[in-house]
Amino acid sequence: MNIPFSEVSKRIYRSEIRELLKWSRKEGVISFGGGLPDPSLFPIQDIIDITRDVLEKKGYLALQYGPTQGEPEMLEALARHMQESGDEASPDQICITSSSQQGLDLLSLLFIDAGAPVIMELPSYLGAVQAFHRCGADTIGIPLDEEGMDLDRLEIVLEEMAGASRKPRFIYTVPEYQNPSGITMSLEKREKLLKISRDRHILIVEDSPYRELSFTGNIFPSLWSLSGGKGVVMLKTFSKMLFPGMRMGWIVAEADLIDTIVMIKQSVDLCTPSFNQLILAEYIKRGKMRETIKKAIACYRPKLEAMLSSLEKHMPSEVRWSRPTGGMFLWLRLPEGIDTKEIFKSAIDHNVAYVIGRPFHCTDTGFNTMRLNYSFPTVEQIRKGIELLATVIRKALHCRGSRAASA
Ligand SMILES: Cc1ncc(COP(=O)(O)O)c(C=O)c1O
């Protein structure tokens, strides 16, 4: 049968990364692939206890449809959590979502028409690249340096666009411990980016899943709070600081924008599961969320240290990497001419897996890059895996050297 597919469906493509990561399930492979939390942190007994309480006391609400914006209890718990984190937001500035990916979906539906320009970091979170492309966005990448987006470049691009009567629908950024690079935007850049956005009336979408996972405790104010809640939409999720299985997150924005987001969300899923919201609201109220975040930091910090020291010890001198102070990822850059997709099979043969960097680029660049996750593997696996990866890279460098000599 010749089924007529929609234009949107034609913009959806198979994830190259997922295809490659199937190989990492081979027995014995140490994977630096997915962005998974360490499951030993999952507070299973607490969730069992709270679930029983919620069902006994509020089962009539938990198993019912709920308000599209979110359960009032949850909105209030989140407003308090944000206040404690220095990010003031009132319940009417919050909409609960089925995790951040739904937040990205709702914002794409709200702001992006086919061909509309959207600015993002280069590299940037793959799920955002996919969500924006699915709506037909013309994504424009601005390179990152060690302190975040290259804002001089951004200004040049915006000036050129203005000359062609074009304006981006928004600027998308992951300011802390960015996925995939691990880079954090400096305070100076945050202030400058906000000035650019104010002067040119461009909305900023601040995607902030890793902010709570700060290993130093020193974190710059969010764009949301620096802007006084004006001209910035913030996406939050429980997936990284707690657990992704409940698919819970929230959007923070000015109240009238939240109103519009709620209207869009109604047509998408009516409401986020009330059951999950009531469990998590209770989890937050009992102070458990803060505890879990503290445990996550204590678990991930030594893993990052193990990865950094192993890279230092084993990697050839031509390889460069980022030095994050939080989050879950680190970014590796190999010399030009080495394609991390081409050497992936060799890595699997050596029992180590990573994520290739190119799909994180909305331009056709980044062939020589890779993302490494340190939250999921154990410290021992990290040490061993980096040693194996260094062997793979050394071999690739050697092959490249031999090819150059015989050319
Ligand atoms: C920057 C960023 N945004 C959003 C997401 C989506 O996460 P979730 O839908 O689980 O909240 C991720 C997941 O890796 C991410 O790294």
Side-chain angles (χ1 to χ4, degrees), residues 99-101 125 172 174 179 207 209-210 237 239-240 247:
S99 288
S100 281
Q101 196 61 36
Y125 168 54
Y172 171 78
V174 183
N179 179 5
D207 192 357
Y210 304 100
T237 176
S239 291
K240 309 298 174 169
R247 310 303 297 133

Side-chain angles (χ1 to χ4, degrees), residues 75-186:
L75 294 171
E76 269 151 34
L78 287 176
R80 263 198 312 280
H81 165 76
M82 293 204 49
Q83 194 178 30
E84 284 164 20
S85 318
D87 291 323
E88 291 283 339
S90 52
D92 64 347
Q93 292 177 309
I94 297 174
C95 174
I96 314 292
T97 57
S98 292
S99 288
S100 281
Q101 196 61 36
Q102 186 183 49
L104 287 166
D105 184 29
L106 296 174
L107 296 182
S108 302
L109 285 172
L110 193 57
F111 294 119
I112 304 176
D113 298 306
V118 167
I119 302 269
M120 56 197 318
E121 288 152 345
L122 202 58
S124 193
Y125 168 54
L126 178 63
V129 177
Q130 286 172 333
F132 303 160
H133 279 173
R134 191 206 43 191
C135 284
D138 172 15
T139 46
I140 297 158
I142 305 293
L144 284 172
D145 61 32
E146 278 167 19
E147 299 196 333
M149 211 184 258
D150 177 347
L151 297 179
D152 293 339
R153 177 78 203 137
L154 174 66
E155 288 200 284
I156 292 169
V157 167
L158 291 176
E159 204 47 47
E160 282 170 5
M161 288 175 78
S165 302
R166 294 185 93 210
K167 188 173 140 181
R169 296 298 166 97
F170 54 79
I171 299 172
Y172 171 78
T173 175
V174 183
E176 291 97 23
Y177 321 121
Q178 196 236 27
N179 179 5
S181 68
I183 285 170
T184 292
M185 192 188 289
S186 65

